[in-house]
Amino acid sequence: MKLQLVITLIIIGVAIGLQAQEVHALKEVQVVDSVASRLSASVYMKFDELDQPALHNDQNLSQFLSYRTAVNFKDYGPGMLATPTFRGGDANHTQVLWNGLQINSPMLGTMDFSMLPVKQFSSIGVMTANSSNLYTSGGLGGAVNLIQNPDFQNQTARANYNTGSFGGLGAMVSFNMPFKIGKIPMVVGSSNEQFSTANNFPFIDVSSKPYEKRTWQNAAFNRQNNSAFIGAMPNEKWMLHAIYWRNNTERKLPAPINLKSSVAEQYDEAHRALFSVQWQVNDRLKLSYKSMFEDNANRYQDSAINVNNNNHYLSSQNQLEANMHFSRKLELSSRLSSTMIRAQSENYSETLDAARLSGMILVKYRLFQNKVEAEAGYRYEQFMSNHGVTPFGGITVEPISSWPFKFFASASENVRFPTLNELYWQPGGNDNLKVEQGRTIESGIRIKESRHSYSITAFRGVFNNRIRWLPVGTVFAPTNVSYSETTGLEWLGNSDFQFGFGEVSLSTNVAYINALGGKNDETLLHLSFVPDLSGNASLSFSKGNFRCRYGLSYIGSRYITNDQSAYLPTYWLQFAVVQYAIDVGSNLRWLIGMSVDNLADWQYQNMPWRPMPGRSICVQIDLTWKS
């Protein structure tokens, strides 16, 4: 209630200030995609130009984010389940967006990051809980926004081939082709990716003595992503585009090494189609409409325990958005969206129909010559019979123009509604579940110069009614856990140095998290699978067409039981990459590269009884054409 009162007062103050402000004409702006909007007073990390050859051949989104952010993953091995743990949250507390629209499963509530490619997207944004309110509810940890936009300016074509240890094989072909019909700019393009691995890597079997070296088997993985898009700009005020994305995954899931059961299999296929239209009404008002349809099927088979689950859902999302600049000081953003869902499962008594309705309004007000920016907003969310109103907002202060740093602070409330599986799964569903509730605050300093950027952030989250699947008799059922809290610090740093012998870049990120949970705030124990300390560092060097990079990752110990009776030990991972480019004329570039992961051949487990690969090598050849 205190947070709601504070944010309400900010909104009232902004409205009073509007009446006293003279409206100034703004400069003419071009139509741009609005899916990258953020809360200025919250942490937001954006990675651009993902279509370019990277200094690490990341095979999926979990690998990409693990090396660059403070997001940790419960990783069962290459090609197997990889779900995020962001600021102490569970896997379903990180919402995944595609161009601003949610694609987390309404049945499972989660997204498997091993299924998601990297090269298909033009940029990726990672936002914490406070910013996630701009797009959706449920991001008690945060959200990841996969941005895929057509490029009306550049003609490009690209082919990539890579092969590596343990039967790894990947290929990607894409193009972006602008053209005109009369005077109307158009663009068409496509991205097609395939990755597979046999996962036949050696490991030390520590399940029984004497410890023996074995080969991981029956863990083959195959993934395909096919995407096509078309866009048009009838004039300087309108932009339309449509995107289709097919994601298909097949994999075998071997049992943990301490069990000797048979191998399970999983099949996933998703078809997503997105249509977007944006209208720059004038230099103050921009409107947009998005519509997305998804057909998603998941099948899991395990003959050892006679399980054959076949889950399928259809969803349709529609979103209206308005951005208005009343003056150079005052800006208002709003979104209204609705989602219709039809879900089927052999573990439901009948086909389920569900509806989601949400709305968001955000006011930004700048004063003292834009040295201070205040933000305040509300989100309304309703899913089936549950609903919630969550306030969020913050303030950013730039003390003196000659000082290259800013102070920021933000706060928000958030809710996550029980998913369809949590409510209706048979056996085990619990239709008496309460809504998960979270309150988060963060504050820090950003420092940015021409070649250097740093930030340090302190954060705290308090969560009530967290939902966990716990044993109830002979089955597992979702249950509300009364209380949990997370407190921590995050550091992000990037520096570029120019020397006579070449360019050097240093990137670092470190996160300390104290994540506790219990029946109340007096009976707290460490949450499982959340490392107290983790971090990444990488050093890159480039000279002409030659580039290389060395990286180091650290994951601290983490408990694997709720009573703190068992834990997984700390581990360090290192990787190295070298690349050389060959230019053929002014438009064509060949790139040859090699990367080595787990340089020290560390034998470790990210999840209990799930071995991870030792040293592995990947070689890639990339051909890029630009006009």
Side-chain angles (χ1 to χ4, degrees):
M1 293 300 296
K2 291 182 179 179
L3 179 59
Q4 291 181 352
L5 178 60
V6 170
I7 293 181
T8 301
L9 290 174
I10 293 175
I11 293 178
I12 293 173
V14 168
I16 294 173
L18 172 61
Q19 296 179 1
Q21 293 299 319
E22 179 184 356
V23 177
H24 298 277
L26 299 178
K27 295 181 180 179
E28 183 178 354
V29 295
Q30 293 182 346
V31 174
V32 294
D33 205 335
S34 59
V35 298
S37 59
R38 52 166 289 187
L39 198 68
S40 299
S42 179
V43 174
Y44 184 89
M45 295 166 281
K46 186 179 179 183
F47 304 94
D48 290 311
E49 298 182 354
L50 299 179
D51 58 334
Q52 302 299 315
L55 269 176
H56 191 275
N57 191 32
D58 303 294
Q59 301 293 359
N60 55 54
L61 190 59
S62 66
Q63 189 178 29
F64 178 89
L65 295 177
S66 294
Y67 284 133
R68 294 166 176 84
T69 72
V71 181
N72 293 297
F73 285 87
K74 301 175 185 177
D75 196 332
Y76 287 77
M80 298 183 68
L81 182 68
T83 55
T85 299
F86 194 6
R87 287 191 172 179
D90 293 329
N92 48 26
H93 292 159
T94 299
Q95 301 302 307
V96 181
L97 312 165
W98 180 40
N99 280 10
L101 299 179
Q102 184 178 344
I103 59 174
N104 284 64
S105 167
M107 301 174 76
L108 300 172
T110 59
M111 175 63 72
D112 183 355
F113 280 58
S114 70
M115 297 182 182
L116 299 174
V118 176
K119 300 181 181 70
Q120 175 179 315
F121 306 107
S122 52
S123 64
I124 292 175
V126 179
M127 66 193 79
T128 54
N130 295 343
S131 271
S132 71
N133 267 301
L134 291 172
Y135 298 97
T136 184
S137 66
L140 277 67
V144 177
N145 194 8
L146 310 175
I147 302 170
Q148 185 177 5
N149 286 329
D151 184 352
F152 286 87
Q153 302 296 325
N154 301 300
Q155 283 188 342
T156 60
R158 183 183 176 196
N160 179 283
Y161 175 84
N162 60 82
T163 183
S165 303
F166 320 129
L169 183 65
M172 191 274 292
V173 177
S174 66
F175 74 92
N176 185 92
M177 193 65 62
F179 63 99
K180 285 187 177 182
I181 297 180
K183 295 183 178 181
I184 299 178
M186 303 282 294
V187 62
V188 295
S190 177
S191 175
N192 300 276
E193 175 258 7
Q194 179 165 343
F195 173 73
S196 62
T197 177
N199 272 339
N200 52 358
F201 57 85
F203 69 97
I204 303 298
D205 187 349
V206 297
S207 61
S208 61
K209 293 184 178 180
Y211 299 156
E212 297 180 351
K213 191 172 185 179
R214 292 174 48 198
T215 300
W216 193 239
Q217 295 179 339
N218 300 316
F221 173 81
N222 184 68
R223 181 189 71 211
Q224 294 179 338
N225 283 275
N226 308 101
S227 180
F229 58 84
I230 184 170
M233 294 184 67
N235 55 47
E236 68 276 5
K237 294 186 176 182
W238 288 86
M239 183 174 77
L240 303 88
H241 70 260
I243 310 174
Y244 167 75
W245 174 18
R246 172 184 177 267
N247 175 264
N248 175 263
T249 303
E250 299 179 10
R251 59 185 170 192
K252 295 183 178 180
L253 304 172
I257 59 176
N258 61 328
L259 300 177
K260 307 301 179 184
S261 62
S262 62
V263 177
E265 296 182 341
Q266 183 176 338
Y267 308 90
D268 293 88
E269 184 165 8
H271 297 265
R272 302 180 180 98
L274 171 68
F275 172 74
S276 173
V277 55
Q278 296 180 60
W279 178 28
Q280 189 80 47
V281 181
N282 51 45
D283 53 8
R284 297 181 187 174
L285 177 63
K286 180 173 67 177
L287 303 175
S288 69
Y289 167 74
K290 294 177 185 175
S291 180
M292 187 184 82
F293 175 79
E294 180 171 2
D295 183 340
N296 194 305
N298 167 273
R299 186 175 183 181
Y300 176 84
Q301 295 177 293
D302 191 336
S303 57
I305 55 177
N306 195 29
V307 171
N308 187 358
N309 293 331
N310 194 350
N311 303 315
H312 178 235
Y313 71 86
L314 303 172
S315 70
S316 175
Q317 297 186 52
N318 292 276
Q319 182 185 90
L320 288 170
E321 180 177 353
N323 296 91
M324 178 169 287
H325 294 261
F326 293 98
S327 69
R328 296 184 180 183
K329 295 184 176 182
L330 183 63
E331 177 183 346
L332 185 145
S333 301
S334 61
R335 291 190 179 97
L336 180 65
S337 61
S338 65
T339 304
M340 300 298 297
I341 300 165
R342 168 159 290 190
Q344 296 175 311
S345 172
E346 297 173 4
N347 289 82
Y348 292 172
S349 60
E350 59 184 358
T351 298
L352 295 174
D353 292 321
R356 181 189 296 270
L357 178 67
S358 64
M360 184 279 299
I361 185 169
L362 174 69
V363 176
K364 293 189 177 187
Y365 184 62
R366 304 172 184 89
L367 61 160
F368 301 119
Q369 297 181 339
N370 294 334
K371 300 297 182 184
V372 177
E373 180 176 352
E375 301 167 289
Y378 278 100
R379 167 166 286 279
Y380 172 81
E381 197 85 15
Q382 178 178 336
F383 180 61
M384 302 180 71
S385 61
N386 294 310
H387 63 89
V389 178
T390 55
F392 61 99
I395 189 168
T396 306
V397 179
E398 184 179 356
I400 300 176
S401 59
S402 60
W403 294 1
F405 66 86
K406 294 181 179 181
F407 298 101
F408 65 93
S410 62
S412 73
E413 292 184 2
N414 212 317
V415 294
R416 190 187 78 85
F417 302 126
T419 65
L420 298 178
N421 280 11
E422 290 168 339
L423 292 170
Y424 304 114
W425 190 262
Q426 295 182 351
N430 182 359
D431 58 4
N432 294 316
L433 287 171
K434 299 177 182 178
V435 175
E436 290 185 313
Q437 298 176 325
R439 301 184 301 277
T440 59
I441 59 173
E442 61 183 4
S443 179
I445 301 174
R446 298 190 188 104
I447 302 173
K448 187 172 183 180
E449 296 180 301
S450 59
R451 288 182 167 267
H452 310 281
S453 62
Y454 312 100
S455 69
I456 185 167
T457 307
F459 60 89
R460 178 173 171 79
V462 176
F463 310 98
N464 293 311
N465 301 323
R466 286 182 73 155
I467 298 174
R468 293 283 180 92
W469 287 76
L470 301 174
V472 178
T474 59
V475 300
F476 278 76
T479 304
N480 287 110
V481 179
S482 296
Y483 181 86
S484 67
E485 61 181 43
T486 62
T487 306
L489 286 170
E490 286 178 354
W491 160 268
L492 295 170
N494 292 279
S495 294
D496 296 325
F497 304 94
Q498 183 74 48
F499 300 102
F501 54 84
E503 295 184 6
V504 176
S505 297
L506 175 65
S507 298
T508 55
N509 67 77
V510 180
Y512 165 77
I513 299 177
N514 186 32
L516 305 173
K519 294 182 179 180
N520 52 58
D521 57 3
E522 297 179 354
T523 60
L524 297 179
L525 296 174
H526 285 274
L527 294 179
S528 56
F529 301 108
V530 180
D532 55 352
L533 186 63
S534 62
N536 299 280
S538 68
L539 185 66
S540 304
F541 170 78
S542 61
K543 175 69 173 179
N545 287 357
F546 174 79
R547 300 193 300 170
C548 64
R549 181 183 180 195
Y550 167 80
L552 178 67
S553 295
Y554 169 84
I555 300 295
S557 61
R558 55 251 177 256
Y559 292 103
I560 59 175
T561 57
N562 290 329
D563 61 0
Q564 300 184 181
S565 61
Y567 69 94
L568 287 174
T570 293
Y571 65 85
W572 295 81
L573 296 178
Q574 304 171 68
F575 71 86
V577 187
V578 292
Q579 292 179 341
Y580 186 76
I582 302 173
D583 293 318
V584 181
S586 59
N587 303 111
L588 192 64
R589 166 168 284 200
W590 287 90
L591 186 142
I592 302 172
M594 183 179 73
S595 61
V596 182
D597 284 319
N598 197 353
L599 275 169
D601 201 23
W602 195 295
Q603 297 293 308
Y604 71 103
Q605 294 177 17
N606 184 276
M607 295 294 289
W609 308 115
R610 297 286 182 175
M612 300 292 281
R615 185 184 299 112
S616 61
I617 298 174
C618 179
V619 177
Q620 69 166 323
I621 300 175
D622 194 282
L623 176 62
T624 304
W625 175 83
K626 286 187 177 183
S627 175

